[in-house]
Amino acid sequence: MKRILFSLVAVAVVSMAFAQPFVWPNAWTVAEPGEAVTGGTFRDYSISDPRTFSPVVSAEQNAMIDTIDLLGASLLTRGPDSDEWIAYAASEFSVNDGGTVVEMTLRDGIKWSDGSPVTVQDYYIRYLIETDADAQSNAYDSWFLNEQQIQLEITGENTLRFTFPGPDRLAFPNAALLPLPDKIFGEAYRSGGAEAVRALWGTETPVDQILTTGPFMPVQYAPGERLNFVANPYFGEWNVDEQGNALPYLANYNITLVGDADAALNLYIAGEIDTFGPRNLDDIGVINVAINNGDIDAVMLEDVAPVANSQFIVFNWNLASDPVKQATFRNPNFRRAMAHLIDRDAIIELIYGGSADPMYTSVYLVNGYWVNPDVPTYAYDVERAVELLALAGYRNRDAQGFLTNADGVRLSFTLATNAGNNQREQIIQIFADSAREAGVEVITTPIDFNLLVDQLFSTGDDRPFDAILIGLRGGSRDWPFGDNVNLCTGGLHMFNTSGSCIGANETLVDQLTKVGRQTLDTEAAREIGFQIQQAEAEQSALLYTVSPRAHYSWLTDVRGEHPVEFLNPLLGSRELALTFKAQ
């Protein structure tokens, strides 16, 4: 990695003479130097349509946003071979001794997919929008440190300065800012404010109006069918491999929109898509049979690592129209009882064929350094659940055997998840069956993913759901606790959107998250992280289920994956810009 950093310093020295591209290291791919060929189509899949094309209002996993935004011109980046941050869209950067000021110089020659230049204003307008609460950006909370706003200013024609209110473990992730086209988002914001910005780039927007700085630009969206991209011709002007070849290698990147993962597996076995993420040992068996029968020529990597996401049940604490349910969901004895009714062993065996691990904290198991191994685990225990429910006020039974409170109100709620996600649909059914044994009526409801997200992100005193099984991904290797999730004012504080803390543990998690983010000593920050997870477990506001093991499979003509020692769900299996199809 030192060699990479040294080369970037050299670029900074000569940047006054001519624009220098970012060089993608050979070490980030298994391909031999010169092996890659240009052209070809990489065929991927997604089990849901995008809810939006706008990176401002997107907060869920979104194939469109991943491609047009997250793969774009972030000021900083880091590769799979190191945790060090390196200059990317910035040609160079510097940090003051206190770590509170980061100076950036924008690399020359970066363009939007329509050929117009990327400027410092494109980064600044993103900052302005994301720090406007009315824009309702998922990134809003990350721009504040102990309620003090991080400052960004334009200091020259191609320079920016980030000023942090104090030490911040997330300084570099924040400084790794992505641009927004000022000529679109800036003009809308200046004329119509946050409301105008939120109206931009909905799924009805023609895709040829969507601009990107990433390796691929959208050319077709057919709802329920496909998202198609072609290589961005301007990306290769500032992104090259070590041999000087323009990136990306691929000519096309196509995403088939499928109803569920079973449909995606069928397409993979038929050779109609190039990659598939096996969910369990059954999927692996199907793929291995297809390989052995000569139906497909594919790579199959099993049990690589735990996945880099979570799956949990969240109850709605803001349900004013049903005071009994609201009081129940806010009762920690109720939530702990529900935690005891998650039969993780059954989920692991029946859904994942043994290829998963119990999960009890908010930290992904793949990020093992940060995981507190000593948190309360709430083993599956129907009798203990019944005892806790009695403490929550549910001691009697009705004629059907369901628990009721002193007023005869049955303990019943609806548990939703996203339709088409077969594993989640099975998880909520296993949970409902276990809850029935304890006398709890759980009505399972798979619904459209976009509707599910809309319900979860709703605000106010009376939100339109009881409970949801969903998951989170993302987060930082530097500090795996999100302000947007952990702070009582956070935009993803899913169980309580009242804007203020209700419970003691909720308050403690809020306070510890603020302190930990400002603790630069990693060992000390880790100890604070352990305390956060202890408080989360005692609170049981989010009931974690299991962490599946990640498996990877792709057709053998797809090349350019990470070296095996770097391959895990935190880093992904490949850099899309370095992926190619063998001819």
Side-chain angles (χ1 to χ4, degrees), residues 48-49 51 417-419 445-454:
S48 62
D49 283 86
R51 189 170 64 99
T417 195
N418 49 307
T445 309
I447 62 176
D448 176 75
F449 179 68
N450 293 329
L451 175 59
L452 188 80
V453 172
D454 287 341

Side-chain angles (χ1 to χ4, degrees), residues 171-433:
F172 285 155
N174 272 307
L177 185 62
L178 286 149
L180 278 176
D182 181 74
K183 62 185 179 181
I184 298 174
F185 282 81
E187 288 186 11
Y189 188 60
R190 288 184 287 271
S191 62
E195 183 177 356
V197 167
R198 288 185 57 79
L200 291 173
W201 287 11
T203 53
E204 74 288 345
T205 303
V207 293
D208 60 3
Q209 296 179 17
I210 307 297
L211 300 184
T212 178
T213 55
F216 296 94
M217 56 187 190
V219 292
Q220 184 184 31
Y221 171 51
E225 297 180 17
R226 70 186 70 86
L227 272 169
N228 289 345
F229 302 82
V230 299
N232 175 2
Y234 302 103
F235 185 80
E237 293 183 2
W238 67 281
N239 288 274
V240 299
D241 64 17
E242 284 196 12
Q243 290 66 55
N245 299 306
L247 299 174
Y249 300 127
L250 292 163
N252 305 283
Y253 175 53
N254 293 343
I255 298 172
T256 299
L257 300 169
V258 296
D260 56 36
D262 287 338
L265 176 59
N266 290 335
L267 289 175
Y268 185 58
I269 296 303
E272 295 181 26
I273 57 176
D274 291 312
T275 184
F276 180 75
R279 300 158 292 177
N280 50 40
L281 299 185
D282 289 339
D283 286 354
I284 292 171
V286 170
I287 292 170
N288 281 332
V289 167
I291 292 172
N292 293 334
N293 288 343
D295 297 325
I296 57 172
D297 188 2
V299 174
M300 181 69 248
L301 299 180
E302 303 178 26
D303 275 326
V304 174
V307 298
N309 56 51
S310 58
Q311 296 185 98
F312 51 82
I313 295 171
V314 55
F315 291 92
N316 176 14
W317 292 16
N318 314 113
L319 200 55
S321 61
D322 193 332
V324 173
K325 274 186 182 177
Q326 177 173 276
T328 298
F329 294 163
R330 291 185 181 186
N331 190 310
N333 284 317
F334 164 78
R335 298 193 303 273
R336 291 166 190 155
M338 295 302 101
H340 278 298
L341 293 176
I342 299 174
D343 191 345
R344 293 175 180 84
D345 289 341
I347 293 170
I348 290 169
E349 291 303 320
L350 296 176
I351 299 176
Y352 298 102
S355 185
D357 301 291
M359 187 170 181
Y360 301 103
T361 94
S362 62
V363 181
Y364 312 145
L365 298 187
V366 69
N367 210 353
Y369 174 82
W370 292 96
V371 175
N372 182 348
D374 299 319
V375 297
T377 56
Y378 300 100
Y380 177 61
D381 189 335
V382 174
E383 290 184 5
R384 179 56 180 155
V386 171
E387 292 173 357
L388 288 166
L389 290 172
L391 294 176
Y394 291 91
R395 300 180 178 89
N396 306 316
R397 301 264 181 169
D398 62 18
Q400 285 74 44
F402 290 109
L403 287 167
T404 64
N405 65 11
D407 297 322
V409 177
R410 176 184 290 184
L411 181 50
S412 174
F413 59 87
T414 298
L415 175 59
T417 195
N418 49 307
N421 188 314
N422 309 78
Q423 301 103 307
R424 289 182 182 171
E425 290 185 20
Q426 293 175 70
I427 288 173
I428 63 173
Q429 191 56 56
I430 289 173
F431 176 77
D433 292 342

Side-chain angles (χ1 to χ4, degrees), residues 34-69:
E35 177 187 350
V37 293
T38 59
T41 300
F42 183 54
R43 303 166 301 168
D44 208 341
Y45 70 95
S46 175
I47 65 171
S48 62
D49 283 86
R51 189 170 64 99
T52 180
F53 296 161
S54 170
V56 171
V57 299
S58 177
E60 71 284 351
Q61 184 174 353
N62 182 329
M64 186 72 158
I65 300 300
D66 288 353
T67 306
I68 66 171
D69 186 55

Side-chain angles (χ1 to χ4, degrees), residues 134-165:
D134 292 335
Q136 301 176 31
S137 169
N138 187 45
Y140 175 81
D141 299 293
S142 66
W143 286 110
F144 293 82
L145 187 64
N146 259 356
E147 300 179 0
Q148 297 183 63
Q149 186 171 326
I150 297 165
Q151 299 298 318
L152 175 62
E153 55 188 314
I154 296 173
T155 54
E157 184 179 353
N158 65 340
T159 55
L160 295 161
R161 177 184 297 132
F162 294 82
T163 303
F164 296 83

